[in-house]
Amino acid sequence: SKMTVKAVKMPCTSANIYTKVPDGGWGWTVAFAFFVVEALTYGIIKSFGVFFNDLMESFDETNSRISWIISICVFVQTFTAPLSTVLSNRFGHRLVVMAGGLLVSTGMVIASFARSVVDMYVTIGIVSGLGYCLSFLPTVTILSQYFDKRRSLVTAVASTGECFAVFSFAPAITALKEQIGWRYSMLSVGVLQLGITACGSLLRPIVIREQEEVKAQPPEESTETKYMLENEQTCTSIESIDSGVDITTSPSNVPGKTKAEPKSEEPKQHGQNPVENNSTPPEPKSKLLDFSVMRDYSFICYAFFGLFATLGFFAPSLYIIPLSRSLGISKDHSAYILSAMAIAEVFGRIFAGWVLNKKPIRKIYIELICVILLSVALVAFPFASGFWGLMICSVYFGFMLGTVAGTHIPLLAEDDVVGIERMSSAAGVYVFIQSLAGLAGPPLAGVLVDTTKNYSSAFYSCAAGMVLGAVFLALVRPCKTGLCHHQQQQVEESTAGPPPELPDDFIDMDIGKAENSGKGSDSV
């Protein structure tokens, strides 16, 4: 049962300390904050397509050059992911997310006054892109720490914030543009994104302390003290502790492996070498960013999956409205298609979370099936004709996108990939690797559209990337279970240093001390 070890007086500023992962509690507040952060980050990015034609007309630019706005934004967001991890580990998730919200809002507000597409590259691409990274990644990381058994379901449901945002923002911004123009509409979006800062203030840190350790400390100390007193009375074990033989070769002889302080104090009282006081190493500092995950073959395959799958995440949302307009569909009906895609994505995320929570098969296999079906959805778009044909493809794509987009980052916490202990660093490295696809994806699709004069080519490029992602995802589990185990073991052996060399007379010196002690007692 859940047990709070330490009472918290200031609910929004103090850390939560539990004896086990709470699977609820303040985690529900964090889940709500993640919902809103998703809406104001990825929801805005996916709704940016409503400004696409306005920017082309205002700046007299091509598809590919306008696509670079979101491309740079996504690249900066993913490329700076390790920086987000380092700052979160150093200053805490709350402060980093609040700073990210300020950057997101500032970039969008300044962009509303832009006079060229290059200004958009700097404001939305760099400034807001960095803010998106500092806002999203720390939020999803701390949410995963608050849940264990319900992690997949809660994360999937909370991630539907971006879907509700697209569903509501796309028609709202379209209607707002008709009244006040695209510039003031973009300014309003920037002011709304200040809500990220408020959500960041709700991200209270969480600390897990085992209940057994808390209760066992007093008895261990008394037992340890009694043990050392017996050693003083018999005068038989002090020198063996001094030499390090018992500690190194027989740690089970000393009760309480975490209570080595009394042993280091004893030689000091007897005038021994003070270097022995440091026999217990200090508690190691946690790494700000652990790149050891790059030696895990399963993580490498999963990172390549994210790299290629990212090609199919953003382009359909950017090009669905231009595609519908090229088919003779009105602006209002085009916005409805984008909204229908967002609604379907909500159900896809919830469905994926529910299935992953039930675990009929391994979660990595469920993800693989969803990626394959998502590839089929991308291929179906070029064959759509008319409003209803495009609507059916959008609903199908939205549902399958929800099953993948809402689970691919939280899946890092599963043992098939890296596990919850290394999830924070793994998420930073994983999203960093995605940055290349985030940079190349939309412009590549834009170049294909400008070259072929057909929006279908953008969807074909997305489908090709998703298929490659499915191939690497299929290799994650085999690499974890032994296909690459032998190679990985060889790498670890080659990187591990040789064992420390002990002096030849190490054991002899200890035996000599024991013999001298025995002779001294006999003479007495």
Side-chain angles (χ1 to χ4, degrees):
S1 61
K2 182 184 73 177
M3 172 183 173
T4 302
V5 178
K6 183 177 181 180
V8 180
K9 295 182 179 180
M10 302 178 66
C12 293
T13 58
S14 302
N16 273 341
I17 303 178
Y18 294 96
T19 57
K20 59 184 295 187
V21 178
D23 257 332
W26 190 258
W28 299 116
T29 304
V30 177
F32 171 76
F34 179 56
F35 178 89
V36 178
V37 169
E38 275 268 2
L40 298 178
T41 54
Y42 280 102
I44 297 298
I45 292 176
K46 289 187 176 182
S47 301
F48 196 78
V50 300
F51 295 108
F52 210 85
N53 291 329
D54 298 290
L55 297 178
M56 290 177 61
E57 294 174 2
S58 297
F59 300 138
D60 191 23
E61 295 288 354
T62 62
N63 278 287
S64 59
R65 283 181 62 84
I66 297 297
S67 299
W68 274 101
I69 299 174
I70 292 300
S71 178
I72 294 174
C73 177
V74 174
F75 171 75
V76 172
Q77 176 189 3
T78 52
F79 186 80
T80 56
L83 174 64
S84 174
T85 300
V86 170
L87 293 178
S88 298
N89 291 336
R90 177 63 179 86
F91 300 105
H93 297 80
R94 179 191 295 114
L95 184 61
V96 173
V97 174
M98 294 176 68
L102 290 176
L103 287 175
V104 170
S105 178
T106 301
M108 190 66 70
V109 169
I110 298 177
S112 64
F113 300 98
R115 295 301 174 186
S116 68
V117 69
V118 177
D119 296 338
M120 289 279 188
Y121 293 163
V122 176
T123 54
I124 295 180
I126 298 178
V127 178
S128 292
L130 178 60
Y132 285 136
C133 177
L134 299 182
S135 302
F136 170 76
L137 197 57
T139 310
V140 69
T141 301
I142 194 172
L143 177 63
S144 299
Q145 296 174 2
Y146 269 96
F147 292 89
D148 182 16
K149 296 179 180 179
R150 301 173 180 171
R151 182 187 301 132
S152 298
L153 181 60
V154 172
T155 305
V157 173
S159 67
T160 58
E162 70 177 79
C163 310
F164 283 106
V166 175
F167 169 70
S168 58
F169 288 168
I173 295 175
T174 301
L176 193 62
K177 287 192 305 177
E178 300 294 332
Q179 301 296 324
I180 61 177
W182 70 266
R183 290 187 180 275
Y184 286 106
S185 299
M186 189 173 292
L187 176 64
S188 302
V189 171
V191 174
L192 183 63
Q193 287 179 313
L194 279 175
I196 298 175
T197 303
C199 293
S201 64
L202 300 177
L203 303 182
R204 187 193 301 168
I206 179 173
V207 178
I208 305 297
R209 292 180 181 173
E210 294 295 336
Q211 183 176 356
E212 291 76 14
E213 293 181 2
V214 175
K215 291 183 177 180
Q217 285 179 0
E220 280 194 53
E221 291 177 357
S222 60
T223 305
E224 185 80 9
T225 304
K226 181 179 178 182
Y227 177 80
M228 297 306 299
L229 289 175
E230 291 177 354
N231 286 340
E232 292 182 8
Q233 294 172 0
T234 58
C235 298
T236 57
S237 301
I238 294 299
E239 294 177 31
S240 62
I241 294 177
D242 232 0
S243 64
V245 174
D246 286 348
I247 295 177
T248 304
T249 60
S250 304
S252 60
N253 293 338
V254 181
K257 60 182 179 181
T258 61
K259 301 293 180 181
E261 290 83 354
K263 288 177 282 186
S264 62
E265 293 175 0
E266 195 65 27
K268 182 178 180 180
Q269 295 174 0
H270 285 77
Q272 302 294 331
N273 191 347
V275 178
E276 296 294 321
N277 294 339
N278 296 327
S279 59
T280 302
E283 183 179 354
K285 296 181 179 180
S286 59
K287 297 181 179 179
L288 295 180
L289 186 62
D290 186 6
F291 277 101
S292 65
V293 294
M294 294 299 296
R295 295 199 297 266
D296 194 329
Y297 286 98
S298 61
F299 173 76
I300 293 175
C301 291
Y302 196 81
F304 274 109
F305 149 69
L307 176 68
F308 291 108
T310 303
L311 293 174
F313 281 169
F314 295 101
S317 299
L318 289 176
Y319 284 100
I320 188 63
I321 290 182
L323 176 62
S324 62
R325 296 289 292 149
S326 68
L327 295 176
I329 301 174
S330 64
K331 291 183 179 180
D332 294 336
H333 285 79
S334 299
Y336 293 151
I337 292 176
L338 187 60
S339 299
M341 181 188 298
I343 295 175
E345 188 175 344
V346 172
F347 290 100
R349 288 172 182 264
I350 296 175
F351 174 79
W354 178 77
V355 172
L356 290 174
N357 198 54
K358 293 293 184 181
K359 291 191 294 188
I361 56 178
R362 285 192 171 274
K363 295 182 180 181
I364 200 74
Y365 295 146
I366 299 175
E367 187 83 355
L368 177 60
I369 294 173
C370 294
V371 170
I372 294 174
L373 294 177
L374 181 58
S375 304
V376 175
L378 289 168
V379 175
F381 271 103
F383 298 97
S385 60
F387 173 76
W388 288 108
L390 201 58
M391 176 68 79
I392 292 174
C393 289
S394 298
V395 170
Y396 175 50
F397 170 79
F399 183 86
M400 298 314 306
L401 177 64
T403 60
V404 177
T407 57
H408 71 109
I409 292 181
L411 209 64
L412 289 167
E414 300 300 323
D415 292 334
D416 282 340
V417 188
V418 295
I420 188 62
E421 294 81 6
R422 296 190 293 169
M423 191 227 174
S424 179
S425 295
V429 177
Y430 172 75
V431 177
F432 170 78
I433 294 175
Q434 282 184 290
S435 63
L436 298 178
L439 177 66
L444 174 62
V447 169
L448 292 175
V449 170
D450 292 335
T451 303
T452 62
K453 307 299 180 182
N454 190 346
Y455 286 101
S456 299
S457 56
F459 293 89
Y460 284 133
S461 66
C462 295
M466 196 64 66
V467 170
L468 286 175
V471 172
F472 282 102
L473 184 61
L475 297 175
V476 172
R477 178 64 183 168
C479 286
K480 197 69 174 182
T481 55
L483 182 62
C484 302
H485 178 73
H486 180 66
Q487 298 178 359
Q488 186 173 358
Q489 186 176 7
Q490 290 180 345
V491 172
E492 292 178 353
E493 290 177 354
S494 62
T495 56
E501 297 183 359
L502 298 177
D504 296 335
D505 58 347
F506 180 74
I507 302 298
D508 296 338
M509 292 171 60
D510 219 38
I511 296 175
K513 289 183 180 180
E515 291 178 353
N516 293 334
S517 177
K519 292 179 180 179
S521 60
D522 292 340
S523 62
V524 173

